[in-house]
Amino acid sequence: MEPEEAVRQLEYAIDASLDETGQRTAATYRPTFERVADRADGGAVYTLACDLAGEVVAGDCPSPAEANASAERVLDDWAYTDGGA
C-alpha cells in the first residue's frame, strides 16, 4: 500500500466513524506513512493503516505522536518478522 492510499483509507474511516473531517485529520498521518514506506514496504504501511483505522472505528482518533508510536511498533515487528532492512 502506498502512503497516499493509506491516508485515503483513513479519511474514509474517520468520515464514517468520527465527528471529524477525515481529509483534514488523515493528512496529519501522511509523514508517518511515508517514513514507514521508506523504512519498510507497502505491507508495513498497510499494517499501520489497519492499526490506525481500527482505533478510529473504536472511536479514538490517534494523535500524530500516537501514530508515530504505532509506526515504530510496526517497524520493529516488521524487522523481526520480515528480516528487516
Side-chain angles (χ1 to χ4, degrees):
M1 176 179 275
E2 295 294 321
E4 297 81 18
E5 184 179 341
V7 169
R8 195 171 326 115
Q9 293 304 316
L10 277 177
E11 287 175 11
Y12 300 148
I14 291 167
D15 285 343
S17 303
L18 303 175
D19 291 334
E20 295 184 36
T21 303
Q23 187 175 20
R24 182 186 67 237
T25 304
T28 63
Y29 302 125
R30 182 179 305 276
T32 302
F33 286 124
E34 289 172 348
R35 183 169 49 85
V36 170
D38 287 344
R39 291 181 50 194
D41 64 15
V45 173
Y46 177 78
T47 299
L48 177 60
C50 288
D51 290 352
L52 295 177
E55 291 184 44
V56 167
V57 169
D60 296 325
C61 190
S63 69
E66 291 168 328
N68 282 329
S70 293
E72 287 305 315
R73 285 190 296 277
V74 167
L75 289 168
D76 288 346
D77 289 347
W78 208 255
Y80 289 116
T81 60
D82 197 44

